[in-house]
Amino acid sequence: MSSIGLHTSSVEPLRRNRLYWAIADALILAKRQLKQIPRIPEELVFSTIQPIMFVLLFRYVFGGAINVSGTTYVNFLMAGIFVQTIAFGSTSTGIGIAQDLQRGLVDRFRSLPMARSAVLTGRTIADLVRNTFVVLVMIVVGLLVGFRPAGNGIGWIAGGGLLLLFGFALSWLGALIGLSVRSVEAAQSAGFIWLFPLTFASSAFVPTSSMPDWLRAFAEHQPLTLVINTVREFILGQPVGSEGWQALVWCLGILVVFMPFAVWAYGRRTTR
């Protein structure tokens, strides 16, 4: 009688450092967030319709009454639309995190062997990808209504890189807001309440030279104006002055300040 031997082999866990697992877990959660877009397409559709309405409104209703120097109004307008799209899109990070907390999804993530930072990092990466898609749609819409950028490929890459960095930094601010409120409605209201004055008191839709002195002083030094002006100069092929460095410093400053604050708020909120 022949005997049948059973052979078992132990499975060794992958030996990787904490940074590797933090990145790997964040990418998995980002992929999970992106997979949900086809299931709820109306969120992406409404995110796209709003900036399209701003383009049509300012291009055909207000644009004829606004004078800009050195280029056409639609060329002036589109950089403001790109930055506004990225900035408004950052509010979705806070809203999404508030939803996950309210539904208990974050508690389920905590029961899994994964990096704690992955929940926030995965969300911000996924929202950045979605916002990038909306900006690409806005470029097509702009071309259809007369947008004719003269910048070269390097200018577009530099402008796009600054735009993505600004969006990623604002997403961490949005995450902090989502972790600081107790409902989705509050996250939505708190996310927009500071963005509207910053967007309209900037060079997004009108030159700052037309503003009163006190408002102009604020508008010309706040981050949205500096990012808008720099992106505008890159994509229109104009020389980028010192505003480029100031915009970069603002982006890095927002990221350095709000990323650790958001991680701290996440730990505090999930250990109550």
Side-chain angles (χ1 to χ4, degrees):
M1 181 177 177
S2 62
S3 61
I4 299 176
L6 297 177
H7 300 282
T8 60
S9 60
S10 61
V11 178
E12 293 289 336
L14 290 175
R15 296 183 182 277
R16 298 287 190 272
N17 58 36
R18 296 177 63 180
L19 178 62
Y20 170 87
W21 287 117
I23 296 174
D25 293 342
L27 292 177
I28 290 173
L29 288 189
K31 185 178 178 181
R32 170 190 170 276
Q33 295 293 339
L34 293 173
K35 280 185 173 180
Q36 291 183 346
I37 292 178
R39 300 172 190 168
I40 316 175
E42 57 268 25
E43 289 186 3
L44 184 60
V45 171
F46 287 121
S47 298
T48 308
I49 288 177
Q50 186 184 56
I52 290 176
M53 291 176 64
F54 271 97
V55 171
L56 298 178
L57 179 67
F58 280 90
R59 172 68 175 90
Y60 293 111
V61 179
F62 299 137
I66 301 173
N67 294 319
V68 297
S69 60
T71 186
T72 62
Y73 180 70
V74 66
N75 283 347
F76 176 90
L77 171 68
M78 291 311 298
I81 294 294
F82 298 154
V83 176
Q84 183 207 34
T85 301
I86 285 288
F88 280 20
S90 67
T91 62
S92 61
T93 303
I95 296 170
I97 289 175
Q99 284 178 333
D100 290 346
L101 286 167
Q102 202 170 53
R103 294 171 180 170
L105 187 61
V106 172
D107 291 333
R108 274 184 277 171
F109 285 148
R110 289 180 60 208
S111 66
L112 299 175
M114 58 186 291
R116 291 177 59 187
S117 62
V119 175
L120 299 182
T121 310
R123 169 70 67 171
T124 53
I125 292 173
D127 289 341
L128 185 65
V129 173
R130 188 183 65 173
N131 293 335
T132 302
F133 171 78
V134 179
V135 169
L136 292 175
V137 173
M138 289 305 103
I139 294 174
V140 175
V141 173
L143 293 173
L144 292 175
V145 299
F147 176 47
R148 297 295 180 266
N152 56 27
I154 296 176
W156 274 94
I157 292 173
L162 179 63
L163 199 60
L164 294 180
L165 178 61
F166 188 55
F168 187 64
L170 289 185
S171 290
W172 285 96
L173 173 55
L176 178 60
I177 293 173
L179 290 163
S180 303
V181 298
R182 296 186 176 277
S183 69
V184 177
E185 292 78 10
Q188 187 170 15
S189 300
F192 278 108
I193 199 168
W194 63 276
L195 268 176
F196 272 107
L198 281 184
T199 302
F200 286 95
S202 73
S203 63
F205 306 115
V206 297
T208 54
S209 58
S210 64
M211 299 178 183
D213 291 342
W214 62 271
L215 183 58
R216 179 180 177 181
F218 168 76
E220 290 184 347
H221 294 89
Q222 59 120 326
L224 262 74
T225 295
L226 294 169
V227 173
I228 290 167
N229 289 349
T230 304
V231 171
R232 181 177 290 141
E233 289 156 356
F234 273 130
I235 63 179
L236 296 183
Q238 298 173 350
V240 179
S242 60
E243 288 181 320
W245 290 110
Q246 295 176 50
L248 184 61
V249 169
W250 264 113
C251 293
L252 295 177
I254 293 171
L255 193 60
V256 168
V257 170
F258 288 105
M259 180 184 282
F261 261 121
V263 174
W264 171 80
Y266 175 77
R268 183 171 178 269
R269 182 72 183 268
T270 55
T271 53
R272 287 177 180 174

